[in-house]
Amino acid sequence: MHLFYVLRSLPQKTSAKYRPQVLTLKPKIWLAALAPGLLSCVISLSASPHRVPAAQGGQATTEAVLATMDKAAADFRSLTADIENTKYTDVVKDTSVEKGHIFVRKDSKMRIDITEPDPRTILRVGDSLSVYTPKIKRVEEYDLSKHRAMVDQYVLLGFGTRSEALQKAYDVKLAGEDQLDGKKVYLLELTPKSDDVKHQITKIQMWIDSASWLPLQQKFFETGPGDFIQFHYTNLMKNLKIPDSRFKQDLPKDVNHVKPG
């Protein structure tokens, strides 16, 4: 789910001076927000846990995991979670980390409040996306409608996604079973089918919680050798009521509105 990969290919005219560090992946394709499109600890489910059927020999299959995810996605309406983004750049051996909170609703609304190290709010409502940086009283506003095909590629990695849509955009395979945050998880590997996406990311890994059937972690392998960005989710709450007011920017009167590109 995330807003951190939606604007990667959009034109950017923002000065590098004001670009958030963890999002400065490559100057010409700087990513302002999403991704998604992706959780441990406190889970509130409206249905009993789904169990994945095992194939002969007791091993789960890609098809069985995706089918069980579909069952769990049927009742998805919203979620909140804590989020930690880790960006690693191999050439300079640099690791930068951001922490915050994410709020998602099924009706194409998402909010990410980055709390540290540099506070800002990333807000998506339908085809409108904004990034507010209070330190400089600046809000960047984007229209996603002209880039719907690219946006959909990353929104597919959000929560409540059906496997049919996921497999249309990615080659998906089950890489095995693992443990994360004390939870049993299934590790899925996704290879983009779109050439445009391949220019940015070569592979995506998702750690799917076997209890909630939502991603505990997503890892994007970028085109730079060894480079990746990782999203780790904790304290997940599913299907809580999130009011419309949560998806509105509370901006000061003297904020500077900018429309990059």
Side-chain angles (χ1 to χ4, degrees):
M1 159 253 60
H2 291 289
L3 290 181
F4 292 101
Y5 274 97
V6 166
L7 298 180
R8 174 182 275 277
S9 62
L10 302 188
Q12 301 290 335
K13 293 183 180 180
T14 307
S15 169
K17 177 181 179 181
Y18 299 114
R19 292 179 185 173
Q21 291 301 310
V22 84
L23 299 182
T24 309
L25 306 181
K26 295 180 182 179
K28 64 179 179 180
I29 52 175
W30 171 71
L31 188 56
L34 190 188
L38 248 164
L39 305 171
S40 71
C41 304
V42 187
I43 301 178
S44 173
L45 298 176
S46 60
S48 59
H50 300 277
R51 297 185 182 276
V52 63
Q56 290 185 352
Q59 296 297 317
T61 65
T62 302
E63 293 75 16
V65 169
L66 292 176
T68 311
M69 289 173 65
D70 280 345
K71 293 179 182 179
D75 74 333
F76 177 85
R77 297 187 301 276
S78 69
L79 72 82
T80 66
D82 294 334
I83 183 172
E84 181 176 280
N85 308 334
T86 302
K87 173 69 177 78
Y88 177 72
T89 305
D90 187 66
V91 67
V92 291
K93 308 300 180 187
D94 177 70
T95 301
S96 57
V97 178
E98 289 187 322
K99 296 182 180 180
H101 313 286
I102 184 171
F103 306 85
V104 182
R105 276 198 341 201
K106 191 175 182 179
D107 57 351
S108 298
K109 293 182 179 179
M110 179 181 290
R111 178 181 182 130
I112 300 176
D113 289 321
I114 299 298
T115 56
E116 57 180 276
D118 299 311
R120 69 187 186 283
T121 298
I122 302 164
L123 185 66
R124 181 201 176 191
V125 178
D127 286 332
S128 298
L129 188 146
S130 63
V131 182
Y132 172 51
T133 307
K135 184 177 180 180
I136 58 175
K137 293 186 178 180
R138 176 190 180 94
V139 59
E140 298 179 21
E141 300 169 339
Y142 300 85
D143 179 3
L144 304 180
S145 62
K146 297 179 181 179
H147 305 272
R148 174 52 54 194
M150 180 63 67
V151 170
D152 288 344
Q153 290 282 312
Y154 298 115
V155 171
L156 290 173
L157 299 175
F159 306 97
T161 301
R162 302 303 296 259
S163 64
E164 181 180 1
L166 198 66
Q167 290 178 297
K168 185 177 180 180
Y170 300 92
D171 290 320
V172 184
K173 71 174 183 179
L174 177 64
E177 301 178 11
D178 204 347
Q179 291 282 324
L180 182 63
D181 297 334
K183 306 286 185 179
K184 177 183 177 181
V185 294
Y186 292 100
L187 177 60
L188 291 180
E189 289 192 354
L190 289 70
T191 303
K193 293 181 178 180
S194 165
D195 289 337
D196 288 339
V197 177
K198 287 180 181 178
H199 290 324
Q200 301 165 17
I201 51 177
T202 59
K203 181 178 67 175
I204 303 166
Q205 291 182 333
M206 294 202 301
W207 286 257
I208 305 299
D209 183 4
S210 63
S212 68
W213 295 98
L214 292 169
L216 295 175
Q217 187 167 272
Q218 301 159 329
K219 188 173 183 178
F220 294 76
F221 294 84
E222 301 182 318
T223 52
D227 294 355
F228 67 83
I229 185 168
Q230 179 174 282
F231 303 92
H232 185 203
Y233 307 93
T234 55
N235 298 327
L236 168 70
M237 297 292 288
K238 180 183 175 184
N239 289 344
L240 294 182
K241 184 176 181 179
I242 306 177
D244 287 338
S245 59
R246 178 67 70 178
F247 302 100
K248 296 179 180 179
Q249 294 277 28
D250 185 13
L251 303 174
K253 294 182 179 180
D254 57 347
V255 68
N256 181 26
H257 290 261
V258 178
K259 295 185 178 182

